[in-house]
Amino acid sequence: MAPEPFDSPDAVALWRAYYTEVSDRYYLLHEGRRTGLEELDREIAARSGAELSPPTGRLLVGRYEGEPAGTAGVRMLDASTAELTRVFVREGVRGRGGAPLLVRAAEDAARALGANRMVLDTRGDLVEARALYARLGYAETEPYNANLYADHWFEKSLSPQLS
């Protein structure tokens, strides 16, 4: 895992793949359609990821056999709370342990930014994500934001790592 600018070619390609997948899953479930290309382009442009830049954020890119395979982002919400976002692993490399590695690297990045607590939001239809977070020690909590697309919120205490 390595920090990467949110607007690097690899980060942009992974963001597009992530957003396409979660958007399509949402619209197929709720409206029986995939995301339209113009709609997708508009939403991706509106959420560039600039908030995942230093000094208050990080975007991590994981590689598999040298190719960009996944991402995890962290942004500080306040002096002690970080938000985990953009956790994604490309379909062709899933099931190889990349997602837990990305989340743990994001937790380390959050600690380095001064966080002692990590929060995240997700949707009910993203059952794989909810299972991952539960497995990694995240507990469901009350909403911390008003994200229209979220219906599950998680948190985890980030105790200092022992060397």
Side-chain angles (χ1 to χ4, degrees):
M1 266 18 87
E4 186 143 347
F6 74 93
D7 56 355
S8 76
D10 289 342
V12 169
L14 286 164
W15 172 228
R16 184 170 192 85
Y18 167 87
Y19 198 84
T20 300
E21 182 173 328
V22 297
S23 183
D24 279 354
R25 283 177 72 164
Y26 179 86
Y27 284 118
L28 284 168
L29 178 66
H30 295 284
E31 297 181 12
R33 67 174 181 90
R34 294 194 179 280
T35 312
L37 187 56
E38 289 178 15
E39 180 180 33
L40 185 65
D41 289 341
R42 181 181 64 247
E43 292 302 315
I44 288 172
R47 293 180 174 93
S48 70
E51 72 279 4
L52 304 177
S53 297
T56 59
R58 297 286 184 279
L59 178 67
L60 304 171
V61 171
R63 298 181 189 287
Y64 183 78
E65 296 182 349
E67 296 298 316
T71 63
V74 175
R75 69 180 180 131
M76 295 300 291
L77 298 180
D78 61 40
S80 62
T81 304
E83 181 179 44
L84 178 63
T85 186
R86 294 193 186 194
V87 176
F88 174 72
V89 175
R90 286 188 184 271
E91 188 174 0
V93 294
R94 290 180 187 158
R96 300 169 192 254
L101 291 174
L102 282 162
V103 172
R104 289 187 186 109
E107 291 171 354
D108 290 343
R111 283 185 197 91
L113 291 169
N116 59 30
R117 177 175 167 249
M118 184 86 88
V119 297
L120 64 94
D121 66 30
T122 192
R123 299 191 323 242
D125 64 303
L126 300 176
V127 294
E128 307 91 342
R130 291 186 8 249
L132 170 70
Y133 301 133
R135 216 173 34 251
L136 295 177
Y138 287 79
E140 288 214 45
T141 188
E142 296 298 315
Y144 66 90
N145 64 19
N147 182 348
L148 296 174
Y149 297 105
D151 47 20
H152 292 271
W153 292 262
F154 289 82
E155 70 178 343
K156 180 179 180 180
S157 174
L158 297 178
S159 54
Q161 288 286 63
L162 302 175
S163 324

